[in-house]
Amino acid sequence: MDLYTLLRLSKIPFTDKIVNHEVSQICDNSQEVVKDGVFIAIKGENRDGHDYILDVIKKGIKTIIYEDHYYDYINIEQVNFIKVHDTKKTFALISACFYQHPSKQMNVIGVTGTNGKTTTSTLIYNLYRLLQEKCTLIGTNGIYIGQNLKPNINTTPSAKSIQSILHESLTSGIKNVVMEVSSHARKQQRVSQLDFNTIIFTNFSQDHLDYHKTFEDYFYSKALILSSLGNYLSDKRVILNGDDKYYKRFLTFSNVENYTYGLGSHNDFQAREINCAVDNIYFHFYGFNKFLGVCNTNNLFGFFNVYNLLAVLSYFYLENYEISKVLEVIPKLQGVKGRMEKVISSSSLNVFIDYAHTPDSVFRVLKEIKMLACRRVICIIGCGGNRDPLKRPIMGKITTDLADLVIFTADNPRDEEVSDIITEMIKGTEKNNYLVIENREEAIQYAIRIMNDRDIVVILGKGHENYQIVKSEKKTFSDYEVAQKYLEIYKR
């Protein structure tokens, strides 16, 4: 595609001073530029792409798009400079045009909310596969184009990456795409040019205030994706957790068909006759007050997964799948990596890892485990550095209120001192049932060494992550592998 065509399709004004050329690549990373590419300078949280303009010019870049509140570089010859108001939005728009808007030819499902995004989206992806249909998954645990795994740094990738993934999926004959949509992605315009067919809203509670600063900003960053779906004349829909106290407020942003799921009788889809065990979930699935069948899992744990399963079943019902066939393959679903995942070993001890890192998700996990534990619940937890400090005392209080023993430890401390983070968590405690072991491996080792046969150890915060960020270093570290090692050492 040539530059003139790309700019016209993207509705970006340009003058006859702009020199046309073939465009082989667009990017926002100065390390990835090529001579016949287009570089979009974006101001991020930690770095500003405008600071690297001279670097990309030295590499021979032909076209640069930048924001209008930065000084002009137009006196530099042989380089096209195009000024826009918002480079984040422009990057999303030009990425969609470069890859020819693949989402318009696909069934795109967006899963948003504070908790449950990864599990819900992964379950939809796995169910598609069990139903012998191709699907692409974009989320925290990775990107799967069909069965091919690609690593993912963010919950929702960059605008260009998303369009590239969809284009590759479409080329591979994949029409179904399910993706997690984070509040960061919505605010940073990463998903602004996606044509979603369905949005699933899981729940809403405090998180990411280090980035959003206020609760209201976080709320609106989540809610605005609903308004992007269009009006009631379209064939799009929103599926919401009707038991969440914010769902009616979210609905004010939607002009398309909407449906709710939950336990309350006001919901369109309900779970009744619920029974949850350590390795099983069972309930009767109702739609519009009609019994639709029995949902019975073998590898999922936790009452909160009832909601995740309800969201998934509601989606497939509304997609006109024969629900009996969907329920038939539900027992084959595997648990989601790092989400209430039991550590498998030759030991009989019960140790779980989970990604819970918000007050609401920590509360849900511990409340659930407390109901199932025969004896003590031992919780290992920390908080991430350079992240929302307001939630630290809240999480300190929740864990010490619900667990019998809490071990405060390092999470991803980043540029902060572990001791400072833990001190803030301890400020919220009202009970003295905690220990401080700053080294995370030593904390896991201690918990497994002292636990008894009927105790449950739950390691929270990192889930599927196989690293730990200390200062600027990303060290290899897996809660699962460390726990597995000490289960073998102290097995009984």
Side-chain angles (χ1 to χ4, degrees):
M1 184 181 296
D2 65 78
L3 180 63
Y4 283 3
T5 301
L6 183 59
L7 294 175
R8 287 192 186 103
L9 290 173
S10 304
K11 296 182 172 57
I12 298 173
F14 62 97
T15 68
D16 56 7
K17 293 181 180 180
I18 298 299
V19 178
N20 197 18
H21 64 87
E22 285 299 311
V23 177
S24 65
Q25 180 203 61
I26 55 172
C27 68
D28 64 340
N29 187 334
S30 63
Q31 299 298 315
E32 299 174 357
V33 297
V34 295
K35 290 184 178 181
D36 55 353
V38 174
F39 175 70
I40 296 93
I42 293 175
K43 187 179 188 306
E45 292 179 63
N46 301 313
R47 294 182 180 179
D48 189 339
H50 295 83
D51 296 337
Y52 298 90
I53 285 180
L54 292 178
D55 291 339
V56 300
I57 290 172
K58 291 175 183 178
K59 293 180 179 180
I61 195 78
K62 289 184 178 179
T63 300
I64 295 171
I65 298 176
Y66 68 108
E67 287 193 357
D68 54 8
H69 56 278
Y70 288 86
Y71 58 90
D72 283 341
Y73 297 86
I74 55 175
N75 292 326
I76 300 176
E77 296 181 357
Q78 298 178 332
V79 180
N80 294 321
F81 288 95
I82 301 172
K83 185 191 297 185
V84 297
H85 293 293
D86 185 342
T87 50
K88 289 177 182 175
K89 186 174 182 178
T90 299
F91 186 46
L93 182 58
I94 208 168
S95 296
C97 292
F98 183 78
Y99 288 102
Q100 302 177 328
H101 292 277
S103 67
K104 292 182 180 295
Q105 304 172 63
M106 308 178 81
N107 172 38
V108 184
I109 310 112
V111 182
T112 191
T114 304
N115 304 307
K117 295 188 295 297
T118 300
T119 299
T120 301
S121 57
T122 304
L123 291 177
I124 290 175
Y125 165 77
N126 286 333
L127 265 176
Y128 265 121
R129 293 185 60 197
L130 288 170
L131 294 167
Q132 306 302 311
E133 293 192 39
K134 293 180 179 180
C135 185
T136 285
L137 170 67
I138 303 173
T140 306
N141 281 8
I143 297 164
Y144 289 84
I145 300 177
Q147 298 183 38
N148 299 319
L149 172 64
K150 295 186 175 185
N152 187 20
I153 298 174
N154 300 312
T155 297
T156 312
S158 73
K160 176 199 167 184
S161 296
I162 293 171
Q163 298 294 343
S164 173
I165 292 162
L166 297 192
H167 181 266
E168 183 179 342
S169 300
L170 199 58
T171 303
S172 302
I174 300 172
K175 292 292 185 76
N176 299 305
V177 178
V178 58
M179 63 181 296
E180 298 179 48
V181 181
S182 67
S183 58
H184 290 65
R186 183 66 188 87
K187 191 166 185 178
Q188 294 171 6
Q189 303 281 349
R190 287 184 240 158
V191 296
S192 63
Q193 299 302 312
L194 292 182
D195 189 14
F196 288 101
N197 297 87
T198 301
I199 295 294
I200 297 175
F201 161 68
T202 59
N203 49 61
F204 185 76
S205 61
Q206 177 181 320
D207 196 17
H208 301 306
L209 295 192
D210 56 304
Y211 176 76
H212 293 283
K213 306 307 179 187
T214 68
F215 188 81
E216 286 299 300
D217 183 76
Y218 178 46
F219 173 85
Y220 283 110
S221 296
K222 286 287 188 188
L224 286 174
I225 192 172
L226 303 184
S227 62
S228 68
L229 292 177
N231 58 41
Y232 70 95
L233 296 175
S234 70
D235 59 354
K236 302 176 187 300
R237 70 173 75 93
V238 177
I239 305 172
L240 305 98
N241 178 349
D243 290 349
D244 189 273
K245 65 180 180 179
Y246 292 98
Y247 92 93
K248 287 186 177 179
R249 189 178 175 196
F250 274 97
L251 274 178
T252 62
F253 289 80
S254 172
N255 293 315
V256 299
E257 289 184 2
N258 58 81
Y259 303 89
T260 62
Y261 63 89
L263 309 186
S265 58
H266 64 284
N267 289 296
D268 299 309
F269 299 96
Q270 284 181 271
R272 303 179 188 175
E273 307 295 328
I274 303 167
N275 183 41
C276 292
V278 173
D279 55 0
N280 171 263
I281 297 172
Y282 172 98
F283 62 84
H284 288 183
F285 179 51
Y286 279 77
F288 307 102
N289 289 317
K290 178 183 176 182
F291 175 70
L292 299 175
V294 172
C295 179
N296 191 12
T297 73
N298 292 325
N299 300 295
L300 290 174
F301 166 83
F303 190 80
F304 44 85
N305 270 323
V306 173
Y307 282 94
N308 296 327
L309 286 163
L310 273 175
V312 171
L313 290 171
S314 302
Y315 165 75
F316 279 98
Y317 178 89
L318 293 169
E319 283 288 297
N320 295 316
Y321 281 78
E322 190 175 333
I323 206 65
S324 60
K325 291 185 177 179
V326 177
L327 290 168
E328 187 178 311
V329 298
I330 286 283
K332 297 178 182 178
L333 282 175
Q334 297 298 312
V336 179
K337 187 173 178 60
R339 269 63 178 178
M340 281 316 298
E341 182 181 11
K342 184 175 180 179
V343 180
I344 304 302
S345 72
S346 60
S347 172
S348 61
L349 298 173
N350 288 311
V351 177
F352 293 87
I353 64 169
D354 192 85
Y355 191 56
H357 60 280
T358 68
D360 182 63
S361 59
V362 170
F363 176 84
R364 290 170 186 246
V365 167
L366 290 179
K367 194 77 171 176
E368 184 74 23
I369 289 177
K370 193 68 177 173
M371 289 190 292
L372 297 173
C374 298
R375 291 188 63 181
R376 294 181 302 173
V377 173
I378 302 172
C379 174
I380 301 169
I381 193 168
C383 282
N386 306 122
R387 297 293 185 266
D388 182 8
L390 297 178
K391 69 183 182 183
R392 293 172 185 173
I394 300 172
M395 290 170 66
K397 178 172 174 24
I398 289 171
T399 51
T400 50
D401 281 353
L402 293 177
D404 297 288
L405 174 64
V406 177
I407 302 175
F408 292 120
T409 190
D411 188 281
N412 291 320
R414 298 183 177 87
D415 297 324
E416 293 191 65
E417 295 298 325
V418 176
S419 58
D420 293 340
I421 296 171
I422 293 175
T423 297
E424 291 188 20
M425 296 183 75
I426 290 173
K427 286 179 182 178
T429 62
E430 296 177 354
K431 299 167 71 175
N432 194 30
N433 57 336
Y434 64 83
L435 298 172
V436 173
I437 302 178
E438 292 187 9
N439 182 286
R440 194 171 180 92
E441 178 167 350
E442 291 177 7
I444 294 171
Q445 177 186 11
Y446 178 81
I448 293 173
R449 180 168 63 82
I450 67 165
M451 72 183 294
N452 293 309
D453 291 347
R454 291 181 294 169
D455 292 341
I456 292 180
V457 167
V458 58
I459 308 167
L460 300 181
K462 293 179 61 59
H464 65 284
E465 292 179 351
N466 59 2
Y467 60 84
Q468 191 174 36
I469 304 172
V470 182
K471 303 301 180 185
S472 58
E473 185 179 357
K474 197 172 186 179
K475 301 179 178 180
T476 299
F477 189 93
S478 165
D479 282 351
Y480 189 97
E481 291 177 3
V482 171
Q484 196 173 53
K485 178 176 76 172
Y486 289 111
L487 278 169
E488 294 298 336
I489 292 173
Y490 299 114
K491 66 182 177 183
R492 42 195 176 277

